[in-house]
Amino acid sequence: MNFRQKSSRYSGAVLFTAGIAGAILLIASIATGFELEIEIWLATALVVSIILHARAGFALSRAQQELEMLRGLVDKFQPAKKKAQPELAFEPATDVNESDATILGEVQDAIENDRIDLYLQPIVSLPQRKLRCYEAFSRLRKADGDVLRPVDYIDAAERANRIGVIDNMILLRAVQALRQFDPINNQHRIFCNLSPATIFDHDFFTRFTDYLDANEDLAHRLVFEFTYPAVEMMHERVRTNLESIAKRGYAFSVDHIRRFDHDWAALRQKNFRFVKASSAMLLAESNAGEEGRKRVHQFKQALYDNGIDLIVEKIEYESQMPHILELGIDYGQGALFGVPQVATQFMTDPAQDEAA
């Protein structure tokens, strides 16, 4: 119970006592024929002091209420606390071959000199082609301006157990983008590719989850994506840590699927809410006759029954669309709808945010 409540109840009790005392005083005055003796005068003075004491209690209660209102206004207009950022350090790799060492040296130089850019590619709803989500891609720039794409360094980073730094850096950039999206994009999700190695490594996973906790208000807008082979071969520790992320409210996606008969119910229990299939795979299957179209229909129905959304990726040409729409696909991604673009194009100016 706070001070204001206590003061209010205490003052009410005092006033009640004063009322009783006043009634007794009035009865005593009537009984004596209003011939007031010294005892009556003293009792009257006591009742008056009790009433004044109660009024003071009410005044304190009112003051407490006003202080709470002022404190609320101060809290409202105070700048939001800065979210904690993971401590990232790309340490030199040892025991790697010369080719990997060269690539990792370029990656380390790009990260240490803040030459890592976030690119976003649209994911749209069909058939309206309305923007719904983005997939995040990283682009590292070398000192000479050349771009290092993920395909250039992912394998080397995983072999040297350095992929966790890159994944954490991409997460940091994605969160920055979500917080600075312009009003048109401020409800869209971002899909971030994640390596099981990041989830497996205790040190990187701890930093990763600390940052997720610091940005828990964005849990419904971040989706972590794994490749189908990675999901199939997940280590038990990765599965356990994945559950830890899911309990924080973050959803998952799987891409590069190779077949339609996976245990989708088991994936949904792990909070996988999106599946990506290539347009080439779906179209090839649907063009394989009645049996192929039946398998595609059963695949879509299995996802629907488990509350999983299907996203068809790598849609490159307008000529593919009639066949895609015939399959009843809800979401699409590919160059036809937009190529990856630097994330700053979708964000407001941080200086304007601070001024606002």
Short mmCIF file of all heavy atoms in Angstrom, two decimals, residues 103 106-107 110 115-119 137-154 340 342:
data_model
loop_
_atom_site.label_atom_id
_atom_site.label_comp_id
_atom_site.label_asym_id
_atom_site.label_seq_id
_atom_site.Cartn_x
_atom_site.Cartn_y
_atom_site.Cartn_z
N ILE A 103 40.75 -14.56 -46.66
CA ILE A 103 39.35 -14.12 -46.63
C ILE A 103 38.97 -13.60 -45.25
O ILE A 103 38.36 -12.53 -45.10
CB ILE A 103 38.41 -15.27 -47.05
CG1 ILE A 103 38.64 -15.64 -48.51
CG2 ILE A 103 36.95 -14.89 -46.82
CD1 ILE A 103 37.90 -16.87 -48.96
N GLU A 106 40.24 -10.18 -44.51
CA GLU A 106 39.43 -9.13 -45.14
C GLU A 106 38.13 -8.90 -44.36
O GLU A 106 37.69 -7.76 -44.21
CB GLU A 106 39.13 -9.53 -46.58
CG GLU A 106 40.37 -9.53 -47.48
CD GLU A 106 40.07 -10.09 -48.86
OE1 GLU A 106 39.07 -10.84 -48.99
OE2 GLU A 106 40.84 -9.80 -49.80
N VAL A 107 37.54 -10.01 -43.86
CA VAL A 107 36.32 -9.88 -43.05
C VAL A 107 36.61 -9.12 -41.77
O VAL A 107 35.87 -8.21 -41.37
CB VAL A 107 35.73 -11.27 -42.74
CG1 VAL A 107 34.60 -11.15 -41.72
CG2 VAL A 107 35.24 -11.94 -44.01
N ALA A 110 37.04 -5.45 -42.45
CA ALA A 110 35.77 -4.77 -42.75
C ALA A 110 34.96 -4.52 -41.49
O ALA A 110 34.38 -3.44 -41.31
CB ALA A 110 34.97 -5.61 -43.74
N ARG A 115 32.76 -1.43 -42.04
CA ARG A 115 32.40 -1.47 -43.46
C ARG A 115 31.49 -2.68 -43.72
O ARG A 115 31.73 -3.49 -44.60
CB ARG A 115 33.66 -1.56 -44.34
CG ARG A 115 34.54 -0.32 -44.29
CD ARG A 115 35.51 -0.28 -45.45
NE ARG A 115 36.35 -1.46 -45.49
CZ ARG A 115 37.53 -1.61 -44.88
NH1 ARG A 115 38.00 -0.60 -44.15
NH2 ARG A 115 38.21 -2.72 -44.98
N ILE A 116 30.47 -2.80 -42.92
CA ILE A 116 29.47 -3.85 -43.10
C ILE A 116 28.11 -3.20 -43.30
O ILE A 116 27.69 -2.38 -42.50
CB ILE A 116 29.46 -4.84 -41.91
CG1 ILE A 116 28.39 -5.92 -42.11
CG2 ILE A 116 29.23 -4.11 -40.58
CD1 ILE A 116 28.50 -7.06 -41.12
N ASP A 117 27.46 -3.53 -44.40
CA ASP A 117 26.18 -2.91 -44.76
C ASP A 117 25.08 -3.96 -44.72
O ASP A 117 25.29 -5.13 -45.02
CB ASP A 117 26.25 -2.31 -46.16
CG ASP A 117 27.33 -1.23 -46.27
OD1 ASP A 117 27.45 -0.43 -45.32
OD2 ASP A 117 28.04 -1.20 -47.29
N LEU A 118 23.89 -3.48 -44.37
CA LEU A 118 22.70 -4.34 -44.36
C LEU A 118 21.88 -4.03 -45.60
O LEU A 118 21.56 -2.87 -45.87
CB LEU A 118 21.87 -4.08 -43.10
CG LEU A 118 20.65 -4.99 -42.93
CD1 LEU A 118 21.09 -6.38 -42.48
CD2 LEU A 118 19.68 -4.40 -41.91
N TYR A 119 21.55 -5.08 -46.34
CA TYR A 119 20.68 -4.96 -47.50
C TYR A 119 19.37 -5.67 -47.21
O TYR A 119 19.35 -6.70 -46.52
CB TYR A 119 21.34 -5.56 -48.75
CG TYR A 119 22.35 -4.65 -49.40
CD1 TYR A 119 23.56 -4.36 -48.78
CD2 TYR A 119 22.11 -4.09 -50.65
CE1 TYR A 119 24.49 -3.52 -49.38
CE2 TYR A 119 23.04 -3.24 -51.27
CZ TYR A 119 24.22 -2.97 -50.62
OH TYR A 119 25.14 -2.14 -51.20
N PHE A 137 20.37 -9.19 -45.82
CA PHE A 137 21.61 -9.73 -46.37
C PHE A 137 22.75 -8.82 -45.95
O PHE A 137 22.57 -7.60 -45.84
CB PHE A 137 21.56 -9.81 -47.89
CG PHE A 137 20.48 -10.69 -48.43
CD1 PHE A 137 19.24 -10.16 -48.77
CD2 PHE A 137 20.69 -12.05 -48.61
CE1 PHE A 137 18.23 -10.96 -49.28
CE2 PHE A 137 19.68 -12.86 -49.12
CZ PHE A 137 18.46 -12.32 -49.45
N SER A 138 23.91 -9.40 -45.72
CA SER A 138 25.07 -8.60 -45.34
C SER A 138 25.98 -8.41 -46.55
O SER A 138 26.11 -9.29 -47.40
CB SER A 138 25.85 -9.27 -44.21
OG SER A 138 26.34 -10.54 -44.63
N ARG A 139 26.59 -7.25 -46.59
CA ARG A 139 27.59 -6.96 -47.62
C ARG A 139 28.78 -6.30 -46.92
O ARG A 139 28.64 -5.24 -46.32
CB ARG A 139 27.03 -6.03 -48.69
CG ARG A 139 25.88 -6.60 -49.51
CD ARG A 139 26.33 -7.72 -50.42
NE ARG A 139 25.26 -8.18 -51.29
CZ ARG A 139 24.43 -9.16 -50.99
NH1 ARG A 139 24.55 -9.78 -49.81
NH2 ARG A 139 23.49 -9.55 -51.84
N LEU A 140 29.91 -6.94 -46.97
CA LEU A 140 31.12 -6.38 -46.37
C LEU A 140 31.97 -5.74 -47.47
O LEU A 140 32.12 -6.31 -48.56
CB LEU A 140 31.94 -7.49 -45.67
CG LEU A 140 31.54 -7.84 -44.24
CD1 LEU A 140 30.13 -8.42 -44.20
CD2 LEU A 140 32.52 -8.83 -43.64
N ARG A 141 32.48 -4.56 -47.18
CA ARG A 141 33.29 -3.85 -48.16
C ARG A 141 34.77 -3.92 -47.77
O ARG A 141 35.13 -3.65 -46.63
CB ARG A 141 32.85 -2.39 -48.25
CG ARG A 141 31.51 -2.20 -48.95
CD ARG A 141 31.02 -0.77 -48.91
NE ARG A 141 30.46 -0.41 -47.60
CZ ARG A 141 31.00 0.44 -46.76
NH1 ARG A 141 32.16 1.04 -47.06
NH2 ARG A 141 30.42 0.70 -45.60
N LYS A 142 35.57 -4.28 -48.75
CA LYS A 142 37.01 -4.30 -48.53
C LYS A 142 37.56 -2.88 -48.60
O LYS A 142 36.87 -1.94 -48.99
CB LYS A 142 37.68 -5.20 -49.58
CG LYS A 142 37.26 -6.66 -49.48
CD LYS A 142 38.13 -7.57 -50.33
CE LYS A 142 37.84 -7.39 -51.80
NZ LYS A 142 38.57 -8.41 -52.62
N ALA A 143 38.81 -2.74 -48.23
CA ALA A 143 39.42 -1.41 -48.19
C ALA A 143 39.43 -0.75 -49.57
O ALA A 143 39.35 0.48 -49.69
CB ALA A 143 40.84 -1.51 -47.63
N ASP A 144 39.51 -1.56 -50.63
CA ASP A 144 39.55 -0.99 -51.99
C ASP A 144 38.16 -0.75 -52.57
O ASP A 144 38.02 -0.34 -53.72
CB ASP A 144 40.35 -1.91 -52.92
CG ASP A 144 39.75 -3.30 -53.02
OD1 ASP A 144 38.66 -3.53 -52.46
OD2 ASP A 144 40.39 -4.18 -53.64
N GLY A 145 37.12 -1.01 -51.78
CA GLY A 145 35.76 -0.75 -52.23
C GLY A 145 35.05 -1.97 -52.79
O GLY A 145 33.82 -1.93 -52.98
N ASP A 146 35.78 -3.04 -53.07
CA ASP A 146 35.13 -4.26 -53.56
C ASP A 146 34.22 -4.84 -52.47
O ASP A 146 34.48 -4.69 -51.27
CB ASP A 146 36.17 -5.29 -53.97
CG ASP A 146 36.89 -4.90 -55.26
OD1 ASP A 146 36.38 -4.00 -55.96
OD2 ASP A 146 37.96 -5.48 -55.55
N VAL A 147 33.17 -5.54 -52.90
CA VAL A 147 32.18 -6.08 -51.97
C VAL A 147 32.43 -7.57 -51.71
O VAL A 147 32.70 -8.33 -52.64
CB VAL A 147 30.75 -5.89 -52.51
CG1 VAL A 147 29.73 -6.59 -51.62
CG2 VAL A 147 30.42 -4.40 -52.62
N LEU A 148 32.38 -7.94 -50.43
CA LEU A 148 32.44 -9.35 -50.04
C LEU A 148 31.02 -9.82 -49.77
O LEU A 148 30.36 -9.35 -48.85
CB LEU A 148 33.28 -9.51 -48.76
CG LEU A 148 34.79 -9.57 -48.89
CD1 LEU A 148 35.42 -9.52 -47.51
CD2 LEU A 148 35.22 -10.85 -49.59
N ARG A 149 30.54 -10.73 -50.59
CA ARG A 149 29.21 -11.29 -50.38
C ARG A 149 29.30 -12.49 -49.44
O ARG A 149 30.36 -13.08 -49.28
CB ARG A 149 28.60 -11.71 -51.72
CG ARG A 149 28.41 -10.56 -52.70
CD ARG A 149 27.96 -11.11 -54.04
NE ARG A 149 28.95 -12.04 -54.57
CZ ARG A 149 28.72 -12.89 -55.57
NH1 ARG A 149 27.52 -12.93 -56.13
NH2 ARG A 149 29.67 -13.69 -56.01
N PRO A 150 28.17 -12.86 -48.82
CA PRO A 150 28.20 -14.01 -47.91
C PRO A 150 28.78 -15.27 -48.53
O PRO A 150 29.50 -16.02 -47.87
CB PRO A 150 26.72 -14.20 -47.55
CG PRO A 150 26.14 -12.83 -47.66
CD PRO A 150 26.86 -12.19 -48.81
N VAL A 151 28.48 -15.50 -49.81
CA VAL A 151 29.00 -16.70 -50.46
C VAL A 151 30.53 -16.71 -50.50
O VAL A 151 31.16 -17.76 -50.59
CB VAL A 151 28.42 -16.82 -51.90
CG1 VAL A 151 28.96 -15.72 -52.80
CG2 VAL A 151 28.67 -18.20 -52.47
N ASP A 152 31.13 -15.52 -50.37
CA ASP A 152 32.59 -15.41 -50.42
C ASP A 152 33.25 -15.78 -49.11
O ASP A 152 34.41 -16.20 -49.10
CB ASP A 152 33.01 -13.98 -50.80
CG ASP A 152 32.49 -13.57 -52.17
OD1 ASP A 152 32.45 -14.43 -53.07
OD2 ASP A 152 32.13 -12.38 -52.34
N TYR A 153 32.52 -15.64 -47.99
CA TYR A 153 33.20 -15.80 -46.70
C TYR A 153 32.50 -16.71 -45.70
O TYR A 153 33.08 -17.08 -44.69
CB TYR A 153 33.42 -14.43 -46.05
CG TYR A 153 32.17 -13.64 -45.76
CD1 TYR A 153 31.33 -13.95 -44.70
CD2 TYR A 153 31.81 -12.57 -46.57
CE1 TYR A 153 30.18 -13.23 -44.44
CE2 TYR A 153 30.66 -11.85 -46.32
CZ TYR A 153 29.85 -12.18 -45.26
OH TYR A 153 28.70 -11.47 -45.01
N ILE A 154 31.24 -17.09 -45.94
CA ILE A 154 30.49 -17.87 -44.96
C ILE A 154 31.19 -19.18 -44.61
O ILE A 154 31.38 -19.52 -43.44
CB ILE A 154 29.06 -18.14 -45.45
CG1 ILE A 154 28.23 -16.86 -45.42
CG2 ILE A 154 28.39 -19.22 -44.60
CD1 ILE A 154 27.97 -16.32 -44.03
N PRO A 340 17.75 -6.86 -53.51
CA PRO A 340 18.21 -6.31 -52.23
C PRO A 340 18.75 -4.89 -52.39
O PRO A 340 19.52 -4.60 -53.31
CB PRO A 340 19.33 -7.29 -51.83
CG PRO A 340 18.98 -8.56 -52.53
CD PRO A 340 18.39 -8.15 -53.84
N VAL A 342 20.20 -1.31 -50.06
CA VAL A 342 20.78 -0.92 -48.79
C VAL A 342 19.68 -0.45 -47.84
O VAL A 342 18.75 0.25 -48.24
CB VAL A 342 21.85 0.17 -48.99
CG1 VAL A 342 21.24 1.46 -49.51
CG2 VAL A 342 22.63 0.41 -47.71
#
